[in-house]
Amino acid sequence: VQNLRKVHPDFDAILAELLTADRRGRVVLVADEQPAVTDALLARLRAVLGGEVRRVGVVPRQERAGYLRLVSCADVLLDTVHYGGG
């Protein structure tokens, strides 16, 4: 969840489908340590998601305790394609 470099472009269409299917759905990303990485991903998502990008939010990087609180609030955690959580 805290590595935006894992978000492969093949995952963008999956996010689009999920947001279309769940009209109340939100995507929350954790900002990269390098703002340019976050900005590049958001620009790519704007091109794919169009107006639905408004349902994509970015929160600051988290220390361990904050990260665990953040993920405990999620209904669903997704890992990207081409990478796996184990």
Side-chain angles (χ1 to χ4, degrees):
V1 176
Q2 289 207 83
N3 187 351
L4 294 185
R5 290 174 174 91
K6 288 185 358 178
V7 183
H8 192 278
D10 291 347
F11 192 62
D12 300 357
I14 294 169
L15 288 180
E17 287 181 40
L18 289 170
L19 289 172
T20 298
D22 182 355
R23 302 307 302 162
R24 293 178 30 196
R26 300 285 184 268
V27 175
V28 177
L29 303 170
V30 178
D32 193 86
E33 292 174 324
Q34 297 180 0
V37 173
T38 304
D39 294 343
L41 175 59
L42 290 175
R44 195 179 82 210
L45 290 176
R46 272 192 289 285
V48 173
L49 301 177
E52 296 303 321
V53 77
R54 73 187 187 297
R55 296 195 284 150
V56 176
V58 178
V59 298
R61 294 204 50 85
Q62 306 289 309
E63 296 296 328
R64 180 175 168 73
Y67 172 79
L68 293 175
R69 280 191 301 275
L70 176 66
V71 298
S72 74
C73 295
D75 292 324
V76 176
L77 294 174
L78 302 173
D79 212 343
T80 64
V81 294
H82 310 300
Y83 290 90

